[in-house]
């Protein structure tokens, strides 16, 4: 179009007038701009699915001072089941802590890092006799050490100083090496009593052997400066106020639970159990 040619703006004028008549004013387009940010950039990651047995965990150990039957237990000692116990169950399993015990450049692969992680498990053991009655319970623990190698790029003697992570006015310094991020979920799979004879007197000693399923994700990340395109700051929506809910209205809106009146057949039942197990272990 030439410098003095006329442009047909009738449609735009009609649209603009229509917006103003109906009270709708079009929002101006957001301006995109380049911004420099400090970000946690993941350089490498991996996942593992470990089935941990007594060979990796060892026998169950006490997490606190207690007395079970004739045995006095101290922290970290192997748990001796009470007399008359014929079964044991593991309850309330959780990962109490994840320790980063080692991080160093891999001597055989340039740019890679050897990472050592220690998982601490807490749980409760419940002992029962042959009739199923509870004899005693105890707070127990176990540990598992894991090693992996991930790419984290080259190391250097660069030192970073910041007060971002400090609770006081003083700044902290750290090496510009990759940081470790670990996420994990533990699933209790099995617990059983193990008896064996010891010495010439044939005294019977017992211990508890457990099996734990461990899902874990490990990442190596660095603090880096990135140039990104942005349309501005995030503006949150207004908070919703609390509302009184009529229980009958809520109940009336529910779908009728036909499945409880029509038990599923084997195929549907097994599929639902599989989905439920996956949802439970990842919740």
């Amino acid at each position: 179009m030439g410098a003095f040619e006329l442009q047909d703006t009738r449609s735009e004028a009609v649209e603009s007038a229509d917006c103003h008549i109906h009270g709708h004013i079009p929002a101006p387009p957001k301006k995109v701009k380049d911004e420099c940010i400090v970000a946690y950039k993941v350089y490498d990651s991996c996942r593992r699915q470990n089935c941990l047995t007594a060979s990796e965990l060892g026998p169950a150990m006490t997490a606190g001072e207690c007395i079970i039957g004739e045995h006095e237990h101290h922290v970290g000692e192997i748990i001796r089941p009470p007399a008359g116990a014929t079964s044991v169950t593991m309850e309330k399993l959780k990962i109490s802590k994840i320790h980063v015990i080692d991080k160093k450049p891999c001597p055989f692969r340039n740019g890679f890092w050897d990472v050592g992680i220690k998982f601490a498990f807490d749980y409760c053991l419940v002992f029962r006799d042959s009739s199923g009655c509870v004899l005693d319970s105890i707070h127990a623990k176990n540990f598992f050490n894991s090693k992996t190698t991930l790419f984290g790029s080259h190391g250097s003697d660069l030192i970073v100083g910041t007060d971002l992570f400090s609770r006081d006015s003083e700044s902290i310094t750290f090496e510009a090496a990759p940081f470790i991020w670990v996420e994990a979920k533990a699933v209790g799979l099995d617990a059983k009593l193990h008896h064996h004879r010891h010495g010439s007197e044939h005294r019977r000693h017992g211990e508890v052997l457990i099996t734990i399923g461990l899902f874990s994700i490990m990442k190596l990340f660095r603090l880096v400066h990135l140039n990104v395109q942005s349309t501005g700051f995030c503006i949150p929506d207004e908070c919703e106020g609390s509302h009184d809910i009529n229980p009958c209205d809520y109940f009336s809106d529910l779908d009728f639970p036909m499945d409880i009146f029509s038990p599923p057949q084997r195929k549907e039942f097994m599929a639902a159990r599989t989905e439920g197990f996956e949802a439970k272990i990842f919740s």
Side-chain angles (χ1 to χ4, degrees), residues 165-283:
F165 310 106
S166 179
R167 295 183 179 180
D168 51 34
S169 58
E170 296 183 0
S171 63
I172 61 173
T173 60
F174 53 86
E175 295 182 3
F179 295 94
I180 302 172
W181 182 278
V182 182
E183 300 172 83
K185 172 69 176 180
V187 183
L189 300 178
D190 187 34
K192 61 183 178 182
L193 300 176
H194 175 68
H195 294 284
H196 56 86
R197 298 184 180 275
H198 177 72
S200 58
E201 299 179 5
H202 298 287
R203 292 176 300 173
R204 296 189 66 189
H205 291 274
E207 55 191 20
V208 180
L209 305 182
I210 63 170
T211 303
I212 294 176
L214 177 64
F215 299 96
S216 62
I217 294 177
M218 287 160 281
K219 301 176 182 179
L220 279 189
F221 68 94
R222 287 177 178 266
L223 281 170
V224 299
H225 301 271
L226 293 180
N227 191 47
V228 299
Q229 289 189 334
S230 167
T231 57
F233 293 101
C234 303
I235 301 177
D237 297 330
E238 293 185 4
C239 298
E240 296 183 3
S242 59
H243 303 283
D244 294 332
I245 299 177
N246 186 306
C248 290
D249 292 341
Y250 173 79
F251 178 78
S252 299
D253 290 337
L254 296 177
D255 294 332
F256 193 88
M258 287 298 300
D259 55 334
I260 67 174
F261 296 95
S262 302
Q265 299 184 48
R266 180 176 179 177
K267 183 177 180 180
E268 291 80 8
F269 179 78
M270 296 305 295
R273 286 194 61 184
T274 302
E275 294 176 358
F277 177 74
E278 293 176 349
K280 182 177 180 181
I281 63 178
F282 286 107
S283 62

Side-chain angles (χ1 to χ4, degrees), residues 57-62 77-80 123 125 140-142 207-210:
L57 299 170
M61 300 181 296
T62 56
E77 291 184 345
I78 296 176
I79 294 176
R80 303 301 181 188
Y123 53 95
L125 290 177
K141 66 179 181 180
N142 279 92
E207 55 191 20
V208 180
L209 305 182
I210 63 170

Side-chain angles (χ1 to χ4, degrees), residues 4 35 52 64 78 271:
F4 296 98
E35 293 183 318
L52 307 177
I78 296 176

Side-chain angles (χ1 to χ4, degrees), residues 60-61 63 79 87-96 121-128 132-142 186-192 208-212 280:
M61 300 181 296
I79 294 176
S87 65
V88 62
T89 56
M90 175 173 45
E91 302 178 0
K92 302 178 181 179
L93 172 67
K94 67 177 183 179
I95 300 174
S96 59
F121 303 101
D122 277 20
Y123 53 95
C124 180
L125 290 177
V126 180
F127 297 95
R128 289 178 171 83
C133 296
V134 175
L135 296 176
D136 213 331
S137 62
I138 186 173
H139 183 198
K141 66 179 181 180
N142 279 92
V187 183
L189 300 178
D190 187 34
K192 61 183 178 182
V208 180
L209 305 182
I210 63 170
T211 303
I212 294 176
K280 182 177 180 181

Side-chain angles (χ1 to χ4, degrees), residues 97-129:
K97 197 167 185 179
I98 299 175
H99 305 265
V100 178
I101 57 178
D102 192 25
K103 179 185 66 177
K104 58 185 179 182
C106 178
F108 309 108
R109 303 177 67 187
N110 191 22
F112 285 79
W113 295 72
D114 293 331
V115 178
I117 304 295
K118 183 178 182 180
F119 297 91
F121 303 101
D122 277 20
Y123 53 95
C124 180
L125 290 177
V126 180
F127 297 95
R128 289 178 171 83
D129 60 17

